[in-house]
Amino acid sequence: MAVGIFDSGLGGLTVLDAAQKRLPDVDFVYLADSANAPYGVRTADNIYDLTTAAVQRLFDAGCDLVILACNTASAAALRRMQERWVPSDKRVLGVFVPMIEALTERQWGDNSPPREVGVQHVALFATPATVASRAFQRELAFRAIGVDVEAQACGGVVDAIEDGDMILADALVRSHVDALKRKMPEPQAAILGCTHYPLMQDEFQDALGADVAVYSQAGLVGESLADYLQRHPDKMGSGASGYLTTGDPKTVSQRATQFLRRQITFEAA
């Protein structure tokens, strides 16, 4: 019984790893659209077309539930997919909701009016496409009022991580944090709005300072998925676990193995 996890590249492996640890008896099919990564610099229509094609591949693999472990896809394509494209017997979920639940300390089933929450100044670090979509701010507004969100488009970070150049990624993270702090000198919390960024969480925390609460998605999504499957056991698919990529399987396997520090073998999607 498999659940699909999709990302434009390897960042979603942080979500997969957390989900596997939280749900050891669940099979997962992971699909990386490595041939078209990164998504963060693409247009919304292009992201939508690529995401629907990838999700259809996971449906074909027997997954009835697919997690978009890609903030860019969640921001630019998810709502449109849910409204116009996803079949009635399938589900596609994004990664914003668990993050907003944690930030606001409100469950998504809580439909009371938006209210003030514990933080007022939030830094959002994300890809250019996620920042441009304003999807995080839109979803947050359903739950909270009085929260000032300052977004920083972190160009180049995903590319550096995908290339395995962590020295460059570190330098870029610190540069983007500096740029954010010029706009919001004292954020109370920081959202790592890309599933690649947990790999750089220590660097973000160091650059921001110990007094800033840094929210990373991997563990939060794992817990949210466990809760969802408990409430919707019918969405456990029929596929077997595996790793698929639109890129070169050998190259992607090598980089994925470095990411998770355990052997990962991808096959052609």
Side-chain angles (χ1 to χ4, degrees):
M1 299 191 296
V3 171
I5 294 185
F6 165 70
D7 187 36
S8 60
L10 298 179
L13 289 174
T14 60
V15 172
L16 173 68
D17 191 48
Q20 288 176 324
K21 290 174 180 175
R22 180 64 180 81
L23 298 161
D25 296 328
V26 174
D27 287 329
F28 292 92
V29 181
Y30 184 89
L31 173 56
D33 190 13
S34 309
N36 295 300
Y39 279 17
V41 295
R42 294 181 177 275
T43 66
D45 284 345
N46 191 202
I47 294 166
Y48 175 83
D49 291 341
L50 291 170
T51 302
T52 52
V55 170
Q56 184 61 57
R57 177 67 181 85
L58 288 168
F59 287 163
D60 294 342
C63 302
D64 291 335
L65 168 64
V66 175
I67 306 298
L68 299 188
C70 174
N71 285 268
T72 302
S74 294
L78 178 58
R79 183 179 292 271
R80 182 175 166 190
M81 290 173 66
Q82 291 173 331
E83 291 175 349
R84 306 181 188 179
W85 182 81
V86 178
S88 60
D89 61 335
K90 309 288 187 184
R91 290 292 181 274
V92 179
L93 304 176
V95 286
F96 283 144
V97 168
M99 185 73 80
I100 293 172
E101 286 179 338
L103 181 67
T104 62
E105 298 183 343
R106 294 185 63 177
Q107 294 300 308
W108 205 247
D110 178 357
N111 291 316
S112 59
R115 61 174 181 261
E116 291 186 355
V117 295
V119 295
Q120 285 79 46
H121 305 290
V122 176
L124 170 65
F125 296 96
T127 66
T130 297
V131 169
S133 75
R134 294 188 60 81
F136 179 84
Q137 292 92 322
R138 183 178 64 243
E139 297 296 339
L140 179 62
F142 289 126
R143 293 287 172 262
I145 58 175
V147 180
D148 178 22
V149 178
E150 188 65 61
Q152 176 64 32
C154 297
V157 175
V158 170
D159 305 78
I161 293 172
E162 289 278 332
D163 291 340
D165 191 342
M166 307 312 280
I167 294 175
L168 175 59
D170 181 18
L172 288 168
V173 164
R174 294 178 188 279
S175 174
H176 289 306
V177 170
D178 286 344
L180 182 284
K181 282 191 167 183
R182 288 195 290 272
K183 298 178 287 186
M184 179 181 280
E186 296 183 358
Q188 296 169 286
I191 302 298
L192 303 188
C194 173
T195 48
H196 285 75
Y197 297 174
L199 296 165
M200 307 300 296
Q201 183 165 349
D202 290 345
E203 288 77 7
F204 274 104
Q205 186 74 73
D206 184 59
L208 286 161
D211 57 335
V212 178
V214 176
Y215 289 83
S216 181
Q217 289 171 315
L220 295 173
V221 173
E223 286 297 328
S224 181
L225 176 59
D227 177 67
Y228 183 87
L229 289 175
Q230 186 174 21
R231 290 181 289 111
H232 302 278
D234 59 305
K235 287 298 175 285
M236 296 288 288
S238 59
S241 60
Y243 299 86
L244 304 171
T245 180
T246 58
D248 175 59
K250 182 178 179 180
T251 300
V252 175
S253 296
Q254 290 173 342
R255 290 177 178 166
T257 298
Q258 292 174 339
F259 268 39
L260 294 188
R261 296 178 183 175
R262 57 184 170 87
Q263 184 61 46
I264 303 291
T265 303
F266 275 80
E267 300 177 0

